[in-house]
Amino acid sequence: MAKGYRPVDRDQQFLIPPDMRDWLGADHPVWTVIDIVDRIDTTAFHRNAKTGGAPATMTTAGRAPTAS
């Protein structure tokens, strides 16, 4: 085997299900919360959010990188 690669265990099980719907029942309250959040207009929140990858019209969080 090439140096630097870890061996692969193709029979390893996932630690959590790849699909959350397999983990939570259809009647779980989280689905109600997700439905409500999907209906909320979040444009004002996103307009005021400070994010690193924001468009030019938004402010960015943090400081500019410094030269090493």
Side-chain angles (χ1 to χ4, degrees):
M1 183 176 276
K3 186 176 180 179
Y5 290 99
R6 292 194 277 170
V8 176
D9 179 7
R10 302 230 185 265
D11 296 321
Q12 179 179 349
Q13 298 295 313
F14 289 104
L15 297 176
I16 60 172
D19 188 343
M20 189 183 292
R21 290 172 287 208
D22 295 339
W23 200 13
L24 299 172
D27 59 341
H28 194 280
V30 74
W31 304 120
T32 303
V33 173
I34 291 171
D35 186 45
I36 292 168
V37 170
D38 282 343
R39 295 173 190 224
I40 295 173
D41 179 12
T42 58
T43 54
F45 171 79
H46 292 290
R47 183 173 39 249
N48 296 323
K50 294 182 178 183
T51 59
T57 57
M58 295 177 135
T59 60
T60 57
R63 292 182 274 182
T66 58
S68 301

